[in-house]
Amino acid sequence: MQEQHAFPFLREILLFLILSGILIPILQRLRINQVIGFLAVGTLVGPFGLGLLAGEVPWLAFLTFPRDQGIAALAEIGVLFLMFMIGLELSAARLWAMRRWVFGAGTAQVLASAALVGAVLLLAYGLDSQAALVVGLVLSLSSTAVVMQLMAQQGATGSPLGQAAFAILMLQDLAVVPILLLIGALGGGGGSDSVALLALTTLLKAGIAIALIYLVGGRVVHKLFRAFAEHRQPDVFMALILLSTFGIAGLSAAAGLSMALGAMLAGLLLAETEFKHEVELMIEPFKGLLMGLFFMTVGMSIDTRQILAAPLLLAASLAGLVLLKALVTASLLRIGGQPWSRALEGGLLLGQGGEFAFVAIGYAMSARVLDPALGGQVMLVVGLSLFITPLLVRLGRAIGERGEHARDEHAAASDNGALGSARGRVIIAGFGRVGQQLGKLLGEQNIPFVAFECNAKLVSKLHAEGQPVYFGDASRPELLRRVHADEAPAIVLTMDHAASSMHAVRGIRREFPHAQLFVRSRDEKHARALRLAGASVVVPETLEASLQLSAFVLEAMGLDGRLVAGIVDHERDLVTAKLLEPEGTRASPA
C-alpha cells in the first residue's frame, strides 16, 4: 500500500506507454487514423471491454484497465493538453484572415445544428429544455483532430473545401468557451424562470475572469518566456510550457471555471507570442502521445453493453446526428459558393460528433445538468460517430469527385464546338508537364496549336486560363478529323501511359499515314516499339535527361562547351541510329 501511495496508478501509466509504443508505429504503417485506433484500443482494454473479464481471468488484470480511478487520472491530463493544443492552433491573425467563413458559416453551423438537434431531443425524446440545449450545443461540434488528420492524409487541407472546413472547425473550437460557461451557469441551480438570468450573470463573471487572466496572464507569460528564452535550454523551455498550462488551468479553477478552459487559454496566450513555433516544436514529440492518451481514455468510457442493449435506438440516433449535421453544413457550404457535390462532401466530413463532447458531457454530469444515463448514451453516440468518420469521408470524397468530374466533362464537351476552326495547327495529345512545356514554347513563337487531355479537371482549369486545351482522346480518328489532322504540320504525343501512346500511334498512322508524328517515350525499349508502330520521331525521356546531366558534368570537368555539345550530339545520333535499325540487323553482344 505504501508503494501505491508513493507512485499512484503506476500500472496504468506503464500499460498506456506499452500500448502507445506498439500502437502508434502499427497505425502509421497501416495508414489508419490514429484517433480511431486509440479509440478502438481504449474500448477493447477498458473497463467495459476485456476489463469486464479481469475478475474471472486474473492475468487480464495486467493487460487491461478494469478500474475507473486510474482512467480518470489519465483522462484529466489528456484533456488539459488536448485543450492546450487546440488553443495553440488558434490566433487572432488566423481568425481574422478567415473571418467570413469562421464567424459567418461557423457560427451559423453551430447555432443551426444545435437548434435542430435540440428540437429533436425536446420533441421526440422528451428531454427537458436545459438538457436539450446542452446536448444540442455539444453535438453541434465536430472532431478537429479526426477531420484535420484525414484531410492531411488526402492532401486536401489547402483546397477551397479544406479551408472552409478548417474555418468552421476553428469557430467550433472557440465555441468551447461559452458552452463550458453555459454548463456551469445551468449547474448553479434555480428554477426555469431564473435560468436565463443566472446564465447571463455567470457568463458576465466568467468573461471578466477570462479577460483578467488573458490580459494579466499574457503579460506575465510573455515576460517569463522572453526572460528565459535567452538561455536556450530545452528543459527550461519545457518547464515554462508546463507551468503556463497547469498554472493558468489552476487560476481558471480558482475563478470557478473549468481547468480545461484554462488550458485552452494558455494555448491562446502562447499563440499570440513570437514563441508559438518554438512551443509547437517542443511539444511535437509528445503531441501524438498526449492525443493518444485522451482518445484512449475516451474509448475506455464507451460501454459496449449499451450497444447490445439498444442497437436500433443507437443506430437511429447515430444516423440522425450525421444526417442533420451533414445537411446543415452542406447547405452553408453551398451558400458559400461550393458546388453541391463538394458541399455534400463537406457535410459528411463534419457530420460526426467531436472530442470535446466527452469533456463537456462529463462536466455537465458532474454539475448535474445531465442525467448520467443520458450522458453515457450521448458519449456512446459520439464515440460511434468517430469510428465511422473514415467511411463517411470516403463516401463524401466519392460524391465530390464524381460530381466535379461530371461537371468538368460537361464544360469541356461544350467547348468542342470551337474545334472546327482548328486548321493548320500543331496537335498535342496529352497536356501534362511535358505537353504544357511544349505549348508554352510554341506560344512564345506564335505557333498555333491545339491540345487534347483526358483529365477533365485539368482541362477545365487550363481552358479557363485561355489555353486551347480540350477534353478528348487523341487516338480517336473522329476527333482528329474534326481538327483536320491531315493538315497539321505535326502531331505530338506526350502522354505518360505507355500503352496509351502505343494505341494512339497505331490509330493515327492508320488514319493519317503521311502525318509527322513526334512521340515521347519512357526508355529505349519503348521508343523502338513506337518506331516500329509508325512514329516519325521518338524521344526517350531517360536519354535526354542522361545526356543533359552528362553535359553538365563534362563542362564542370573543364571541357569546352562546343566540344561537349559535339559529344552529346554524337551520342544522341548513335542512339537514334539504333532506334532506326530493323529488329533483325542488330548485332548480338559479344
Side-chain angles (χ1 to χ4, degrees), residues 23-37:
L23 190 62
I24 291 176
I26 292 175
L27 293 175
Q28 289 176 341
R29 178 168 295 183
L30 298 178
R31 299 181 64 82
I32 297 174
N33 184 273
Q34 289 190 12
V35 172
I36 307 302

Side-chain angles (χ1 to χ4, degrees), residues 47 130 213 302 383 578:
Q130 291 187 23
I213 292 173
I302 296 176
K578 288 181 181 179

Side-chain angles (χ1 to χ4, degrees), residues 417-478:
L419 293 176
S421 60
R423 286 178 178 270
R425 301 187 184 185
V426 174
I427 299 173
I428 303 174
F431 212 63
R433 54 187 177 85
V434 177
Q436 290 178 42
Q437 181 63 35
L438 174 60
K440 178 176 178 292
L441 295 176
L442 291 174
E444 290 174 351
Q445 302 302 318
N446 296 319
I447 299 175
F449 71 92
V450 61
F452 295 102
E453 171 60 51
C454 293
N455 186 335
K457 185 175 182 179
L458 180 62
V459 170
S460 179
K461 174 179 178 293
L462 295 175
H463 196 70
E465 295 174 359
Q467 300 201 46
V469 186
Y470 300 91
F471 180 81
D473 182 1
S475 65
R476 293 170 54 197
E478 59 271 22

Side-chain angles (χ1 to χ4, degrees), residues 225-575:
F225 273 81
R226 182 173 292 176
F228 288 97
E230 300 174 356
H231 300 287
R232 298 189 177 276
Q233 292 179 326
D235 50 349
V236 174
F237 211 82
M238 180 56 75
L240 287 175
I241 295 172
L242 295 174
L243 175 62
S244 302
T245 305
F246 288 107
I248 296 177
L251 287 175
S252 296
L257 307 175
S258 71
M259 292 185 68
L261 178 57
M264 184 178 179
L265 285 174
L268 281 167
L269 290 176
L270 289 173
E272 298 295 335
T273 69
E274 65 268 29
F275 304 106
K276 174 187 176 180
H277 299 295
E278 188 69 24
V279 172
E280 289 176 336
L281 290 175
M282 289 295 295
I283 67 171
E284 186 63 34
F286 307 100
K287 187 175 181 180
L289 193 64
L290 295 170
M291 293 284 284
L293 174 62
F294 173 76
F295 284 106
M296 191 178 289
T297 54
V298 165
M300 293 175 195
S301 67
I302 296 176
D303 191 346
T304 53
R305 295 172 297 183
Q306 292 185 9
I307 302 177
L308 300 176
L312 295 179
L313 178 62
L314 280 173
S317 301
L318 180 60
L321 173 65
V322 172
L323 183 61
L324 282 175
K325 291 186 67 178
L327 288 177
V328 169
T329 307
S331 300
L332 292 171
L333 290 172
R334 183 70 186 97
I335 294 171
Q338 294 288 332
W340 266 118
S341 58
R342 290 299 183 189
L344 289 173
E345 179 185 353
L348 291 171
L349 181 68
L350 300 177
Q352 76 291 123
E355 57 272 355
F356 173 70
F358 300 98
V359 180
I361 295 298
Y363 185 36
M365 288 190 296
S366 65
R368 298 185 179 182
V369 176
L370 290 183
D371 180 76
L374 173 62
Q377 291 177 349
V378 173
M379 288 195 286
L380 184 57
V381 170
V382 173
L384 293 174
S385 73
L386 292 175
F387 274 116
I388 67 170
T389 296
L391 295 177
L392 294 176
V393 171
R394 194 174 301 172
L395 174 63
R397 188 79 169 177
I399 293 173
E401 290 184 349
R402 179 171 295 184
E404 188 165 297
H405 182 73
R407 187 173 61 257
D408 290 341
E409 271 194 354
H410 177 74
S414 65
D415 290 330
N416 284 344
L419 293 176
S421 60
R423 286 178 178 270
R425 301 187 184 185
V426 174
I427 299 173
I428 303 174
F431 212 63
R433 54 187 177 85
V434 177
Q436 290 178 42
Q437 181 63 35
L438 174 60
K440 178 176 178 292
L441 295 176
L442 291 174
E444 290 174 351
Q445 302 302 318
N446 296 319
I447 299 175
F449 71 92
V450 61
F452 295 102
E453 171 60 51
C454 293
N455 186 335
K457 185 175 182 179
L458 180 62
V459 170
S460 179
K461 174 179 178 293
L462 295 175
H463 196 70
E465 295 174 359
Q467 300 201 46
V469 186
Y470 300 91
F471 180 81
D473 182 1
S475 65
R476 293 170 54 197
E478 59 271 22
L479 183 61
L480 292 173
R481 290 194 193 100
R482 292 183 66 187
V483 293
H484 309 283
D486 54 335
E487 301 178 18
I491 301 175
V492 187
L493 307 182
T494 68
M495 57 268 288
D496 286 321
H497 199 267
S500 298
S501 58
M502 181 64 68
H503 177 67
V505 166
R506 288 171 178 165
I508 293 171
R509 184 54 69 206
R510 182 173 57 250
E511 294 294 327
F512 307 99
H514 303 296
Q516 289 290 316
L517 189 53
F518 301 87
V519 188
R520 162 203 176 195
S521 72
R522 293 196 170 188
D523 50 36
E524 291 185 31
K525 182 180 179 180
H526 183 215
R528 186 170 183 81
L530 291 170
R531 280 285 300 161
L532 293 173
S536 305
V537 176
V538 181
V539 179
E541 60 181 24
T542 53
L543 169 65
E544 288 303 316
S546 62
L547 290 177
Q548 289 292 328
L549 183 61
S550 302
F552 286 126
V553 173
L554 291 175
E555 289 183 6
M557 297 303 295
L559 274 69
D560 182 71
R562 287 176 296 179
L563 176 60
V564 170
I567 294 173
V568 170
D569 289 342
H570 177 68
E571 186 64 25
R572 184 184 289 110
D573 291 341
L574 288 177
V575 175

Side-chain angles (χ1 to χ4, degrees), residues 54-73:
E56 302 174 7
V57 185
W59 59 268
L60 276 178
F62 297 98
L63 302 176
T64 60
F65 295 84
R67 298 181 303 161
D68 291 339
Q69 293 87 353
I71 297 170

